[in-house]
Amino acid sequence: MSVPDNRFVEAVPLSDLQSEGRQLRTLDGVQVALFDHEGEVRAVDNRCPHMGFPLTEGSVDDGILTCHWHHARFELSCGDTFDPWADDVQAYPVEVHDGTVYVDPHPEPDESPEEHWANRLDVGLEQNLRLVTAKAAIGLVDADVDPAEQVERGVLFGTRYREGGWSSGLTILSLLANVLDDLRVEDRKRALYQGNVHVASDCAGQPPKFDQDAFDARDLSAERLKSWFRDTVEVRDPDGAERCLRTAIANDCSQSALAGMLVAAATDHRYLDTGHTMDFVNKACEALDTVGWEHAEHVLPSLVEGLATADRAEERSSWRQPVDLASRLDETFARLDDLVAAGAGEEWTEPDDFTDTLHSDDSEVVVTALEEAISEGATVEELAGAVAFAAGKRVAQFATANEFSDWNTVHHTFTYANAVHQLSQRTDARELYRGVFDAAVNVYLDRFLNTPPAPLPDAGESDADAEQLLDDLLATFDREGQVNEAGRLAAQFLDAGGDPGRLRQKLGEGLLREDAGFHTYQALEAGFAQYDETADHERKRTLMVAVARYLAAHFPTRREREQTFTIAARLQRGEAIHEE
């Protein structure tokens, strides 16, 4: 060829490049680093894919380009990195004609943006690379890929590559998927990034999960499989339990029946793993709502190991002394069918003082009130919602004189109660009543953490600037010890007639910029879920106070993950990270 293809742009005289060894040129808006090395002309994006440092200031030796900022190394001819944490650099096709170097600054990609970023997400998950995962989250959203596809990749990866099964990472990804619509568009990218980063971190260094097979039998009833499943979980036999569950899935048991199997096993003992087990069951079901129940065979078996090995609350002294709460509930559960039968055809209305009753200092008052409610026709869903609010109010009124770790105690009760409430809308399994009692007993056990209760904020000024209140709320997360102020600002925002959606956006913004822990993500999503379950303004207000106070108690953090996301976003926009 004597004339370059019209995609190629004139870059530099070959003689100049050969004499200097490297040149920087801006070609059609792209900064291109050109190198003459070992008799060949090479061209790559001048921005190091790690943090944007100019690669023309790096060094080239033996076909390797090294960035001097963090010593990331790249194979010069194709741009592939030796150091996966840095990511690959874009290489550009080069042609030389009549002593002039030409470069194609916009080469035809080998794959579509959707395929490219999906593949990069897979790499980020497999190798636990935050920067790659962040770029993929941004790239997929910018390519208008349904967020559910990112969630699906993360969920299927997490359930396959973690022998220990479902854990905090998958829970975080699933709950963030639940609140995506509450977030700003930019924060949806952060949410998908944060969720998949936690999945990758959970799986890093873990052996993969190898599946048990379903039984060959296809004529087993759902009730028999449920019975076998519970029996195998009871004796801590995860392999046998997995075969029962997989057989139920292969037999096309309904979503309700599958959820019923899981919640029955999760309530055969009290308050498994301080509530995490039930929350994991709920989140796995919610994840399937997002990614499709056709993936049940991959997702639900990841719960079995946790169910079979969980700590059982009746084995702890707090459930046995000074009151034998576990034995008291056994008495109730022995009469549960009779209580339900007594309430058949009745409609229960929650008494005005029911939250106060659930906050009683007398466990017998609490248990008796629930028994009476069932005999009066209260459904699992109705009681679960009432108990979930009582648990949320404990968080809203948590006394900060307690030890910091006690935030987790009230938090676990709230998220467990929320899980029971959400599952009650998915399955009619009568065993779920037991989850209501477990949650209520834990509300009782948490009573000392509201002694004295932090007062709920007084009604604020109705003419306050709502947007300023939101800015002030976000600012409280920059300083330690702003728990009560955060609760006050959230309440005052609602009192001033502020849009609850804006409050949720701001709370999500505050959460997603932090190196938040597992429980903090749970607190936000459970608060939002329970907010949506009630029409009562005061309850909504109390729940948002609970969320704001919990977040403020755990912020600020180092914000390392946010720094990585910011770098990825700036690189995607073509900014020079090393320059202000």
Side-chain angles (χ1 to χ4, degrees):
M1 290 176 60
S2 60
V3 179
D5 186 289
N6 59 14
R7 292 175 300 135
F8 284 76
V9 177
E10 182 177 335
V12 62
L14 178 60
S15 59
D16 290 354
L17 182 60
Q18 289 173 331
S19 64
E20 297 185 27
R22 66 190 64 199
Q23 288 276 325
L24 172 63
R25 289 289 185 270
T26 300
L27 306 177
D28 197 18
V30 178
Q31 286 201 330
V32 178
L34 294 114
F35 298 91
D36 177 70
H37 180 63
E38 298 178 340
E40 299 286 345
V41 176
R42 306 297 187 190
V44 299
D45 192 315
N46 190 48
R47 297 173 309 132
C48 175
H50 179 222
M51 290 189 67
F53 193 76
L55 290 177
T56 49
E57 297 184 23
S59 59
V60 178
D61 183 57
D62 195 27
I64 299 172
L65 168 62
T66 301
C67 176
H68 285 185
W69 201 352
H70 293 93
H71 306 287
R73 298 159 299 159
F74 306 94
E75 201 288 337
L76 184 59
S77 68
C78 66
D80 292 349
T81 186
F82 288 79
D83 305 293
W85 48 265
D87 207 1
D88 299 333
V89 68
Q90 173 69 57
Y92 300 108
V94 173
E95 292 182 0
V96 178
H97 299 273
D98 298 329
T100 299
V101 175
Y102 293 84
V103 175
D104 178 2
H106 303 291
E108 290 285 339
D110 295 329
E111 54 195 1
S112 69
E114 296 87 349
E115 293 170 327
H116 171 76
W117 291 119
N119 290 334
R120 297 309 291 160
L121 175 57
D122 289 344
V123 171
L125 289 165
E126 291 165 4
Q127 301 186 32
N128 193 23
L129 302 173
R130 287 185 184 178
L131 182 64
V132 174
T133 303
K135 290 179 180 179
I138 296 165
L140 285 166
V141 172
D142 287 346
D144 293 324
V145 174
D146 187 341
E149 294 191 25
Q150 289 198 57
V151 178
E152 179 179 332
R153 286 179 179 270
V155 166
L156 296 182
F157 178 85
T159 53
R160 167 59 62 191
Y161 292 103
R162 190 175 190 279
E163 185 180 50
W166 192 283
S167 189
S168 58
L170 286 167
T171 300
I172 292 170
L173 176 61
S174 301
L175 67 84
L176 287 174
N178 290 345
V179 302
L180 281 180
D181 289 344
D182 290 304
L183 306 175
R184 302 178 305 165
V185 172
E186 190 67 18
D187 285 334
R188 292 172 194 168
K189 300 174 183 178
R190 284 182 170 85
L192 293 163
Y193 153 70
Q194 291 274 19
N196 276 318
V197 159
H198 281 283
V199 171
S201 178
D202 253 7
C203 294
Q206 282 267 334
K209 184 183 184 306
F210 293 99
D211 296 339
Q212 296 294 328
D213 292 328
F215 299 131
D216 289 336
R218 289 293 178 269
D219 57 351
L220 298 169
S221 70
E223 281 305 310
R224 170 159 288 186
L225 288 168
K226 178 179 178 180
S227 175
W228 288 352
F229 181 70
R230 293 169 68 178
D231 288 345
T232 49
V233 169
E234 174 67 28
V235 297
R236 300 189 184 278
D237 172 18
D239 292 340
E242 182 176 337
R243 297 200 75 177
C244 295
L245 181 57
R246 287 190 178 277
T247 304
I249 296 168
N251 279 351
D252 295 324
C253 284
S254 67
Q255 296 177 23
S256 176
L258 292 171
M261 287 180 66
L262 293 163
V263 301
T267 56
D268 279 335
H269 291 276
R270 310 281 58 79
Y271 197 55
L272 298 182
D273 271 349
T274 61
H276 287 124
T277 302
M278 183 70 80
D279 192 58
F280 290 175
V281 168
N282 181 53
K283 283 295 170 286
C285 291
E286 291 177 347
L288 288 172
D289 292 339
T290 299
V291 307
W293 275 81
E294 64 270 20
H295 296 301
E297 64 176 318
H298 303 293
V299 174
L300 296 185
S302 69
L303 297 165
V304 172
E305 183 74 20
L307 280 164
T309 61
D311 169 73
R312 297 166 176 179
E314 68 267 27
E315 299 170 346
R316 297 202 301 266
S317 62
S318 59
W319 277 68
R320 294 294 188 181
Q321 298 290 338
V323 180
D324 192 343
L325 297 165
S327 293
R328 177 63 183 87
L329 292 191
D330 285 342
E331 295 173 12
T332 296
F333 300 155
R335 297 185 293 111
L336 186 56
D337 288 345
D338 293 336
L339 292 171
V340 174
E346 302 294 327
E347 291 190 6
W348 179 74
T349 300
E350 181 181 337
D352 292 340
D353 62 349
F354 199 61
T355 300
D356 292 336
T357 300
L358 294 173
H359 281 183
S360 172
D361 291 341
D362 186 340
S363 61
E364 187 59 32
V365 169
V366 175
V367 174
T368 300
L370 293 174
E371 290 176 340
E372 290 176 350
I374 296 171
S375 67
E376 293 168 4
T379 65
V380 175
E381 183 177 351
E382 289 170 332
L383 284 183
V387 174
F389 175 72
K393 193 171 182 181
R394 287 274 195 235
V395 181
Q397 296 194 291
F398 179 83
T400 55
N402 292 295
E403 288 187 297
F404 182 76
S405 61
D406 283 327
W407 277 105
N408 290 341
T409 304
V410 292
H411 160 80
H412 288 146
T413 306
F414 180 45
T415 52
Y416 176 88
N418 174 63
V420 172
H421 191 199
Q422 301 306 318
L423 285 163
S424 71
Q425 300 167 55
R426 186 180 298 279
T427 177
D428 59 2
R430 186 166 294 177
E431 293 89 354
L432 202 50
Y433 273 113
R434 301 185 301 192
V436 173
F437 280 90
D438 285 358
V441 164
N442 246 61
V443 170
Y444 159 76
L445 288 171
D446 294 346
R447 65 196 182 282
F448 294 113
L449 303 180
N450 286 161
T451 306
L456 292 171
D458 294 331
E461 299 176 17
S462 60
D463 59 349
D465 184 331
E467 285 301 313
Q468 184 60 52
L469 290 171
L470 289 183
D471 290 341
D472 293 344
L473 172 60
L474 193 63
T476 65
F477 298 154
D478 291 327
R479 306 187 304 278
E480 292 184 357
Q482 299 297 301
V483 172
N484 292 332
E485 179 66 1
R488 183 191 69 80
L489 289 165
Q492 189 175 359
F493 175 82
L494 294 174
D495 294 341
D499 176 8
R502 288 285 296 125
L503 176 58
R504 290 161 74 131
Q505 270 191 351
K506 191 63 69 171
L507 291 168
E509 180 183 348
L511 171 69
L512 290 166
R513 67 182 183 173
E514 302 286 348
D515 295 331
F518 171 40
H519 295 149
T520 316
Y521 290 105
Q522 285 183 299
L524 177 119
E525 191 261 353
F528 285 9
Q530 286 305 306
Y531 182 100
D532 291 337
E533 296 287 357
T534 180
D536 184 87
H537 171 75
E538 284 305 311
R539 289 195 170 191
K540 288 178 179 289
R541 184 180 188 268
T542 298
L543 290 163
M544 288 300 97
V545 169
V547 173
R549 293 185 84 236
Y550 192 91
L551 266 58
H554 293 79
F555 298 158
T557 64
R558 292 173 64 88
R559 301 178 183 172
E560 293 179 11
R561 294 196 297 270
E562 170 63 12
Q563 181 69 5
T564 300
F565 180 87
T566 299
I567 290 168
R570 293 184 65 186
L571 287 170
Q572 300 285 78
R573 294 194 296 265
E575 297 179 14
I577 310 300
H578 66 288
E579 298 175 356
E580 291 296 332

